[in-house]
């Protein structure tokens, strides 16, 4: 084992001591898969696969830390502008990973609930079937909830919720005067009960939140942590550094 391998566990413990307050809900913008692939000389598809593998590794960290909700930004509505080949490879990878969760021992041991947020109508049927199977297999789990944002755009999510409410008003099941913040929230994300975001993490040295969960994150003034590593290179140390920022911000607000 090299020096780094010896020091990292010690540094992790040091960081953990600085994080007495663990966020309930962390949202992650997993940026840098393509740049990682380019800089390491591998195919773009392999860069995305490395990112997907990192997500699986992160589930162990989240379980150890007691994080209850994680939402990952895997594919935005803007990503449909990518090449057909890259989109096809991504959808194949998503399908594979959702199918794998059904038999993944870690998912069942940690009682991880898997669900998708986003516009399902924009996804191919075989991917939708795989997603629904994973959701069905884990729907009763009460450990960590992993929400995968696919074909997702924050403004589009609010538009979809507005359409549902308008339809209900027209049908007479909702009175216009009863529309309030709680009702709008209940129609977001297909009615899934996802709590406000405590912390947003973006990898890849980008400094923007890219229309990610605007109602749950911006509306609740979540902490934001930007870091340089590409997502496939993200470490538990980086996660703990982000949580330290959350803890410091929360402590400052409660003084």
């Amino acid at each position: 084992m090299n020096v780094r391998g010896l020091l990292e566990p010690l540094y992790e413990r040091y960081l953990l001591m600085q994080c007495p307050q663990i966020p309930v809900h962390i949202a992650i913008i997993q940026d840098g898969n393509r740049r990682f692939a380019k800089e390491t000389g591998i195919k773009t598809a392999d860069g995305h696969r490395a990112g997907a593998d990192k997500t699986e590794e992160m589930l162990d960290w989240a379980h150890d830390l007691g994080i209850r909700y994680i939402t990952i930004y895997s594919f935005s509505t803007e990503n449909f502008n990518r090449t057909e080949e890259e989109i096809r490879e991504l959808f194949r990878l998503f399908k594979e990973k959702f199918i794998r969760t059904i038999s993944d021992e870690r998912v069942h041991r940690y009682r991880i609930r898997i669900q998708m947020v986003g516009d399902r109508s924009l996804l191919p049927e075989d991917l939708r079937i795989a997603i629904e199977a994973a959701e069905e297999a884990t729907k009763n789990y009460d450990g960590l909830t992993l929400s995968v944002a696919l074909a997702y755009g924050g403004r589009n999510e609010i538009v979809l919720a507005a359409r549902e409410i308008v339809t209900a008003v027209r049908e007479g099941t909702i009175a216009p005067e009863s529309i309030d913040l709680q009702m709008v929230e209940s129609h977001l994300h297909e009615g899934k009960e996802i709590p406000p975001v405590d912390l947003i993490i973006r990898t890849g040295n980008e400094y923007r939140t890219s229309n990610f969960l605007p109602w749950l994150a911006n509306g609740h003034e979540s902490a934001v942590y930007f870091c340089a590593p590409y997502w496939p290179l993200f470490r538990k140390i980086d996660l703990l550094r982000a949580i330290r920022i959350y803890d410091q911000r929360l402590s400052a607000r409660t003084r």
Side-chain angles (χ1 to χ4, degrees), residues 158 180-181 184-185 188-189 212-220:
I158 294 173
D180 55 15
L181 294 177
V184 174
E185 286 194 357
L188 291 171
H189 318 114
F212 188 33
L213 300 175
W215 187 282
L216 294 179
N218 299 341
H220 293 273

Side-chain angles (χ1 to χ4, degrees), residues 8-199:
E8 277 199 4
L10 295 176
Y11 187 43
E12 286 178 9
R13 288 197 288 272
Y14 168 73
L15 287 171
L16 188 57
M17 288 189 295
Q18 296 182 312
C19 303
Q21 303 174 100
I22 301 297
V24 173
H25 183 186
I26 295 179
I28 303 176
I29 303 172
Q30 304 165 301
D31 199 5
N33 291 345
R34 294 194 295 176
R35 283 175 286 161
F36 169 78
K38 183 177 181 180
E39 292 185 12
T40 55
I42 62 177
K43 295 179 180 179
T44 299
D46 291 331
H48 289 307
R49 181 168 293 279
D53 292 341
K54 178 60 64 175
T55 299
E56 294 182 2
E57 184 180 5
M58 183 197 61
L59 295 178
D60 288 316
W61 307 338
H63 175 265
D64 292 343
L65 293 169
I67 299 166
R68 296 302 306 274
Y69 293 85
I70 289 182
T71 302
I72 56 174
Y73 207 174
S74 296
F75 191 87
S76 72
T77 49
E78 289 78 14
N79 290 153
F80 282 102
N81 294 325
R82 296 183 179 181
T83 66
E84 290 186 10
E85 179 183 0
E86 183 176 358
I87 293 172
R88 185 168 55 251
E89 290 291 340
L90 276 167
F91 285 173
R92 183 181 296 118
L93 176 60
F94 295 148
K95 177 183 174 181
E96 173 191 320
K97 292 297 184 180
F98 275 108
I99 291 174
R100 178 177 171 179
T101 62
I102 298 173
S103 58
D104 189 331
E105 185 271 338
R106 171 173 41 196
V107 169
H108 300 294
R109 174 160 40 96
Y110 296 162
R111 297 184 63 79
I112 299 174
R113 182 180 181 184
I114 309 292
Q115 59 187 22
M116 175 203 152
V117 295
D119 191 344
R120 295 172 189 250
S121 69
L122 299 177
L123 301 178
E125 183 179 7
D126 61 334
L127 176 54
R128 292 200 304 271
I129 292 172
I131 292 168
E132 290 166 3
E135 290 177 327
E136 178 65 24
T138 63
K139 67 180 181 181
N140 294 320
Y141 284 170
D142 55 3
L144 169 69
T145 295
L146 176 64
S147 299
V148 183
L150 293 177
Y152 179 85
R155 289 181 295 180
N156 186 55
E157 187 70 47
I158 294 173
V159 168
L160 293 175
R163 287 177 181 170
E164 289 184 7
I165 294 172
V166 168
T167 299
V169 169
R170 287 176 177 171
E171 294 174 348
T173 58
I174 291 178
E177 60 272 15
S178 68
I179 299 173
D180 55 15
L181 294 177
Q182 289 71 31
M183 179 174 291
V184 174
E185 286 194 357
S186 71
H187 283 81
L188 291 171
H189 318 114
E190 298 179 327
K192 297 178 175 69
E193 295 182 0
I194 302 176
V197 175
D198 299 307
L199 170 66

